[in-house]
Amino acid sequence: RIEVTPVIVRAAMAAYGRAADPSSACWLFDSLGNKTMNIRTWNSLLGALASSAKVDNSVIVCVEDSAASHSQLVVKNGVSSEVALSKAKRESPLYSMGISTLLDGKNSVEAVKTLVDIMNGKLSDFQGIAPNPNSQTYCVAASALQHGPTDTHAALELFRTASEANLEADGRFINAVFRCFGDEIDAALTAWRNDIRKRCITHEYRTRNAPPSIHRKMGKNLIAAYHGLIYVCGRALRPDIALRLVYAMTKEGLDCDENALNCYKSGKRMRRKLASRRGPTEEEKKQEKNKVRLSKQYETLLQIECTKYDRNDKRRAADKR
């Protein structure tokens, strides 16, 4: 007999998220009421919702009508797994408090915002039940927000809340925050200058307990932050700003390689993907009309700067120095 453990349920939630079925992921989350509702379980649900938002954010959560709640599970010792999970669900303090009701009718991004508010204690009815968020919580939440409507205020609020909790400005988190800015490159640069850069530098050059290692890449958190900005440049069709950011990276002594160029291209692909799915917005039409002069030339220079000879790149071992 296979016991329904938290590990299995977390894996099932992740699978439902990849299948764009947030309702079933939420139903499984409720079924863990008699298990340890630790931070890993909450982060797993956030990750499932982020995966669902990436596939299709228009899917609305409806826990009671989810595929998981109607599944026919195997009977063991006269008691079906469905009955066992339903009993656990009824015993769940979260279910009795109505967390499923809070998520019903929301899309994946809105559900993520609600869960983060619960974990931050903004909803008094759930205080003492949900664990405090950690750095992974904010990183996953930021990765989910980028698949919803562009909301620079929500992205900055997420960063500031994490900063107030004294969580480190990890490069992955900052990169995900910048991707939430969509094509708002001016707002992203303002946030970088006024708030985010200071935290990134403090975290990058913090005192470390571990001894120096040749395998540790210095500046990797700053590099990840710059890559997030360059991605926004791609979304905004601003290769000129991306080129200036590459020059700024070089001035700071940071390695600029093909990853930066790929981030710019990724932003451009996302822009085309969104335009083909919902049609270009008025702002995007305006950006196309006021497209930067010599944009192709800027993109060529960007490619040159990002693909210069690197002695550590074995693919270019035969290139002339």
Side-chain angles (χ1 to χ4, degrees), residues 53-75:
K54 183 178 180 179
V55 177
D56 186 0
N57 189 46
S58 63
V59 178
I60 302 300
V61 175
C62 184
V63 177
E64 293 298 329
D65 292 334
S66 63
S69 65
H70 292 88
S71 61
Q72 297 297 322
L73 302 180
V74 179
V75 175

PDB file of all heavy atoms in Angstrom, residues 53-75:
ATOM      1  N   ALA A  53       0.090  29.577 -14.353  1.00  0.00           N
ATOM      2  CA  ALA A  53       0.025  30.910 -14.951  1.00  0.00           C
ATOM      3  C   ALA A  53       0.882  30.997 -16.203  1.00  0.00           C
ATOM      4  O   ALA A  53       0.516  31.679 -17.168  1.00  0.00           O
ATOM      5  CB  ALA A  53       0.467  31.961 -13.933  1.00  0.00           C
ATOM      6  N   LYS A  54       2.003  30.309 -16.202  1.00  0.00           N
ATOM      7  CA  LYS A  54       2.881  30.316 -17.379  1.00  0.00           C
ATOM      8  C   LYS A  54       2.212  29.657 -18.577  1.00  0.00           C
ATOM      9  O   LYS A  54       2.340  30.118 -19.714  1.00  0.00           O
ATOM     10  CB  LYS A  54       4.189  29.599 -17.055  1.00  0.00           C
ATOM     11  CG  LYS A  54       5.196  29.608 -18.188  1.00  0.00           C
ATOM     12  CD  LYS A  54       6.490  28.930 -17.778  1.00  0.00           C
ATOM     13  CE  LYS A  54       7.510  28.945 -18.917  1.00  0.00           C
ATOM     14  NZ  LYS A  54       8.782  28.295 -18.516  1.00  0.00           N
ATOM     15  N   VAL A  55       1.453  28.582 -18.329  1.00  0.00           N
ATOM     16  CA  VAL A  55       0.767  27.884 -19.419  1.00  0.00           C
ATOM     17  C   VAL A  55      -0.459  28.672 -19.872  1.00  0.00           C
ATOM     18  O   VAL A  55      -0.638  28.938 -21.059  1.00  0.00           O
ATOM     19  CB  VAL A  55       0.374  26.460 -18.980  1.00  0.00           C
ATOM     20  CG1 VAL A  55      -0.399  25.755 -20.094  1.00  0.00           C
ATOM     21  CG2 VAL A  55       1.612  25.661 -18.610  1.00  0.00           C
ATOM     22  N   ASP A  56      -1.321  29.032 -18.907  1.00  0.00           N
ATOM     23  CA  ASP A  56      -2.553  29.751 -19.250  1.00  0.00           C
ATOM     24  C   ASP A  56      -3.086  30.403 -17.976  1.00  0.00           C
ATOM     25  O   ASP A  56      -3.673  29.730 -17.123  1.00  0.00           O
ATOM     26  CB  ASP A  56      -3.596  28.798 -19.838  1.00  0.00           C
ATOM     27  CG  ASP A  56      -4.841  29.532 -20.338  1.00  0.00           C
ATOM     28  OD1 ASP A  56      -4.883  30.767 -20.234  1.00  0.00           O
ATOM     29  OD2 ASP A  56      -5.774  28.861 -20.834  1.00  0.00           O
ATOM     30  N   ASN A  57      -2.895  31.709 -17.873  1.00  0.00           N
ATOM     31  CA  ASN A  57      -3.326  32.425 -16.672  1.00  0.00           C
ATOM     32  C   ASN A  57      -4.816  32.717 -16.666  1.00  0.00           C
ATOM     33  O   ASN A  57      -5.348  33.222 -15.676  1.00  0.00           O
ATOM     34  CB  ASN A  57      -2.540  33.731 -16.530  1.00  0.00           C
ATOM     35  CG  ASN A  57      -2.789  34.409 -15.204  1.00  0.00           C
ATOM     36  OD1 ASN A  57      -2.768  33.770 -14.148  1.00  0.00           O
ATOM     37  ND2 ASN A  57      -3.052  35.709 -15.223  1.00  0.00           N
ATOM     38  N   SER A  58      -5.514  32.426 -17.754  1.00  0.00           N
ATOM     39  CA  SER A  58      -6.953  32.706 -17.814  1.00  0.00           C
ATOM     40  C   SER A  58      -7.789  31.644 -17.104  1.00  0.00           C
ATOM     41  O   SER A  58      -8.994  31.826 -16.917  1.00  0.00           O
ATOM     42  CB  SER A  58      -7.412  32.828 -19.266  1.00  0.00           C
ATOM     43  OG  SER A  58      -7.234  31.597 -19.954  1.00  0.00           O
ATOM     44  N   VAL A  59      -7.160  30.512 -16.716  1.00  0.00           N
ATOM     45  CA  VAL A  59      -7.896  29.442 -16.034  1.00  0.00           C
ATOM     46  C   VAL A  59      -8.291  29.913 -14.632  1.00  0.00           C
ATOM     47  O   VAL A  59      -7.458  30.421 -13.878  1.00  0.00           O
ATOM     48  CB  VAL A  59      -7.041  28.162 -15.941  1.00  0.00           C
ATOM     49  CG1 VAL A  59      -7.802  27.067 -15.193  1.00  0.00           C
ATOM     50  CG2 VAL A  59      -6.670  27.681 -17.337  1.00  0.00           C
ATOM     51  N   ILE A  60      -9.562  29.753 -14.284  1.00  0.00           N
ATOM     52  CA  ILE A  60     -10.092  30.204 -13.004  1.00  0.00           C
ATOM     53  C   ILE A  60     -10.119  29.043 -12.015  1.00  0.00           C
ATOM     54  O   ILE A  60     -10.475  27.927 -12.358  1.00  0.00           O
ATOM     55  CB  ILE A  60     -11.513  30.786 -13.173  1.00  0.00           C
ATOM     56  CG1 ILE A  60     -11.489  31.948 -14.169  1.00  0.00           C
ATOM     57  CG2 ILE A  60     -12.076  31.253 -11.841  1.00  0.00           C
ATOM     58  CD1 ILE A  60     -10.599  33.102 -13.772  1.00  0.00           C
ATOM     59  N   VAL A  61      -9.736  29.336 -10.780  1.00  0.00           N
ATOM     60  CA  VAL A  61      -9.728  28.312  -9.732  1.00  0.00           C
ATOM     61  C   VAL A  61     -11.152  28.016  -9.283  1.00  0.00           C
ATOM     62  O   VAL A  61     -11.926  28.926  -8.970  1.00  0.00           O
ATOM     63  CB  VAL A  61      -8.892  28.775  -8.520  1.00  0.00           C
ATOM     64  CG1 VAL A  61      -8.984  27.756  -7.383  1.00  0.00           C
ATOM     65  CG2 VAL A  61      -7.448  28.992  -8.931  1.00  0.00           C
ATOM     66  N   CYS A  62     -11.503  26.738  -9.291  1.00  0.00           N
ATOM     67  CA  CYS A  62     -12.793  26.269  -8.766  1.00  0.00           C
ATOM     68  C   CYS A  62     -12.516  24.929  -8.088  1.00  0.00           C
ATOM     69  O   CYS A  62     -12.550  23.877  -8.734  1.00  0.00           O
ATOM     70  CB  CYS A  62     -13.834  26.138  -9.875  1.00  0.00           C
ATOM     71  SG  CYS A  62     -15.468  25.673  -9.268  1.00  0.00           S
ATOM     72  N   VAL A  63     -12.251  24.972  -6.793  1.00  0.00           N
ATOM     73  CA  VAL A  63     -11.741  23.802  -6.079  1.00  0.00           C
ATOM     74  C   VAL A  63     -12.749  22.654  -6.073  1.00  0.00           C
ATOM     75  O   VAL A  63     -12.395  21.498  -6.299  1.00  0.00           O
ATOM     76  CB  VAL A  63     -11.353  24.195  -4.637  1.00  0.00           C
ATOM     77  CG1 VAL A  63     -10.890  22.976  -3.853  1.00  0.00           C
ATOM     78  CG2 VAL A  63     -10.262  25.261  -4.664  1.00  0.00           C
ATOM     79  N   GLU A  64     -14.006  22.946  -5.811  1.00  0.00           N
ATOM     80  CA  GLU A  64     -15.003  21.878  -5.684  1.00  0.00           C
ATOM     81  C   GLU A  64     -15.238  21.135  -6.995  1.00  0.00           C
ATOM     82  O   GLU A  64     -15.621  19.972  -6.991  1.00  0.00           O
ATOM     83  CB  GLU A  64     -16.327  22.463  -5.170  1.00  0.00           C
ATOM     84  CG  GLU A  64     -16.255  22.991  -3.747  1.00  0.00           C
ATOM     85  CD  GLU A  64     -15.908  21.900  -2.748  1.00  0.00           C
ATOM     86  OE1 GLU A  64     -16.278  20.731  -2.988  1.00  0.00           O
ATOM     87  OE2 GLU A  64     -15.255  22.203  -1.740  1.00  0.00           O
ATOM     88  N   ASP A  65     -15.041  21.800  -8.125  1.00  0.00           N
ATOM     89  CA  ASP A  65     -15.260  21.166  -9.434  1.00  0.00           C
ATOM     90  C   ASP A  65     -13.959  20.721 -10.085  1.00  0.00           C
ATOM     91  O   ASP A  65     -13.921  20.475 -11.288  1.00  0.00           O
ATOM     92  CB  ASP A  65     -15.993  22.133 -10.374  1.00  0.00           C
ATOM     93  CG  ASP A  65     -17.424  22.399  -9.926  1.00  0.00           C
ATOM     94  OD1 ASP A  65     -17.988  21.522  -9.242  1.00  0.00           O
ATOM     95  OD2 ASP A  65     -17.960  23.476 -10.241  1.00  0.00           O
ATOM     96  N   SER A  66     -12.887  20.605  -9.302  1.00  0.00           N
ATOM     97  CA  SER A  66     -11.596  20.241  -9.877  1.00  0.00           C
ATOM     98  C   SER A  66     -11.582  18.776 -10.281  1.00  0.00           C
ATOM     99  O   SER A  66     -12.372  17.954  -9.793  1.00  0.00           O
ATOM    100  CB  SER A  66     -10.482  20.508  -8.865  1.00  0.00           C
ATOM    101  OG  SER A  66     -10.663  19.701  -7.721  1.00  0.00           O
ATOM    102  N   ALA A  67     -10.664  18.439 -11.188  1.00  0.00           N
ATOM    103  CA  ALA A  67     -10.544  17.052 -11.646  1.00  0.00           C
ATOM    104  C   ALA A  67     -10.113  16.136 -10.508  1.00  0.00           C
ATOM    105  O   ALA A  67     -10.561  14.989 -10.412  1.00  0.00           O
ATOM    106  CB  ALA A  67      -9.536  16.984 -12.796  1.00  0.00           C
ATOM    107  N   ALA A  68      -9.261  16.625  -9.608  1.00  0.00           N
ATOM    108  CA  ALA A  68      -8.786  15.789  -8.505  1.00  0.00           C
ATOM    109  C   ALA A  68      -9.909  15.433  -7.547  1.00  0.00           C
ATOM    110  O   ALA A  68      -9.958  14.319  -7.017  1.00  0.00           O
ATOM    111  CB  ALA A  68      -7.670  16.512  -7.753  1.00  0.00           C
ATOM    112  N   SER A  69     -10.834  16.364  -7.316  1.00  0.00           N
ATOM    113  CA  SER A  69     -11.916  16.092  -6.367  1.00  0.00           C
ATOM    114  C   SER A  69     -12.915  15.083  -6.905  1.00  0.00           C
ATOM    115  O   SER A  69     -13.652  14.461  -6.136  1.00  0.00           O
ATOM    116  CB  SER A  69     -12.640  17.394  -6.016  1.00  0.00           C
ATOM    117  OG  SER A  69     -13.294  17.934  -7.161  1.00  0.00           O
ATOM    118  N   HIS A  70     -12.963  14.894  -8.232  1.00  0.00           N
ATOM    119  CA  HIS A  70     -13.889  13.941  -8.834  1.00  0.00           C
ATOM    120  C   HIS A  70     -13.208  12.658  -9.291  1.00  0.00           C
ATOM    121  O   HIS A  70     -13.836  11.817  -9.937  1.00  0.00           O
ATOM    122  CB  HIS A  70     -14.590  14.578 -10.045  1.00  0.00           C
ATOM    123  CG  HIS A  70     -15.533  15.673  -9.662  1.00  0.00           C
ATOM    124  ND1 HIS A  70     -15.139  16.981  -9.526  1.00  0.00           N
ATOM    125  CD2 HIS A  70     -16.854  15.653  -9.374  1.00  0.00           C
ATOM    126  CE1 HIS A  70     -16.171  17.735  -9.188  1.00  0.00           C
ATOM    127  NE2 HIS A  70     -17.226  16.956  -9.089  1.00  0.00           N
ATOM    128  N   SER A  71     -11.916  12.516  -8.976  1.00  0.00           N
ATOM    129  CA  SER A  71     -11.188  11.338  -9.443  1.00  0.00           C
ATOM    130  C   SER A  71     -11.633  10.106  -8.671  1.00  0.00           C
ATOM    131  O   SER A  71     -11.973  10.167  -7.492  1.00  0.00           O
ATOM    132  CB  SER A  71      -9.684  11.545  -9.285  1.00  0.00           C
ATOM    133  OG  SER A  71      -9.370  11.730  -7.922  1.00  0.00           O
ATOM    134  N   GLN A  72     -11.632   8.957  -9.358  1.00  0.00           N
ATOM    135  CA  GLN A  72     -11.965   7.685  -8.732  1.00  0.00           C
ATOM    136  C   GLN A  72     -10.670   7.022  -8.294  1.00  0.00           C
ATOM    137  O   GLN A  72      -9.895   6.551  -9.127  1.00  0.00           O
ATOM    138  CB  GLN A  72     -12.720   6.795  -9.721  1.00  0.00           C
ATOM    139  CG  GLN A  72     -14.057   7.381 -10.154  1.00  0.00           C
ATOM    140  CD  GLN A  72     -15.022   7.526  -8.988  1.00  0.00           C
ATOM    141  OE1 GLN A  72     -15.056   6.672  -8.109  1.00  0.00           O
ATOM    142  NE2 GLN A  72     -15.792   8.598  -8.988  1.00  0.00           N
ATOM    143  N   LEU A  73     -10.427   6.980  -6.986  1.00  0.00           N
ATOM    144  CA  LEU A  73      -9.183   6.446  -6.473  1.00  0.00           C
ATOM    145  C   LEU A  73      -9.364   5.009  -5.998  1.00  0.00           C
ATOM    146  O   LEU A  73     -10.465   4.537  -5.747  1.00  0.00           O
ATOM    147  CB  LEU A  73      -8.675   7.326  -5.312  1.00  0.00           C
ATOM    148  CG  LEU A  73      -8.462   8.802  -5.691  1.00  0.00           C
ATOM    149  CD1 LEU A  73      -7.960   9.569  -4.488  1.00  0.00           C
ATOM    150  CD2 LEU A  73      -7.486   8.943  -6.846  1.00  0.00           C
ATOM    151  N   VAL A  74      -8.274   4.299  -5.858  1.00  0.00           N
ATOM    152  CA  VAL A  74      -8.289   2.876  -5.543  1.00  0.00           C
ATOM    153  C   VAL A  74      -8.740   2.653  -4.100  1.00  0.00           C
ATOM    154  O   VAL A  74      -8.364   3.384  -3.186  1.00  0.00           O
ATOM    155  CB  VAL A  74      -6.885   2.273  -5.753  1.00  0.00           C
ATOM    156  CG1 VAL A  74      -6.877   0.796  -5.403  1.00  0.00           C
ATOM    157  CG2 VAL A  74      -6.447   2.494  -7.198  1.00  0.00           C
ATOM    158  N   VAL A  75      -9.547   1.603  -3.882  1.00  0.00           N
ATOM    159  CA  VAL A  75     -10.019   1.262  -2.546  1.00  0.00           C
ATOM    160  C   VAL A  75      -8.994   0.368  -1.867  1.00  0.00           C
ATOM    161  O   VAL A  75      -8.527  -0.619  -2.431  1.00  0.00           O
ATOM    162  CB  VAL A  75     -11.386   0.544  -2.620  1.00  0.00           C
ATOM    163  CG1 VAL A  75     -11.818   0.078  -1.223  1.00  0.00           C
ATOM    164  CG2 VAL A  75     -12.428   1.473  -3.213  1.00  0.00           C
TER     165      VAL A  75
END
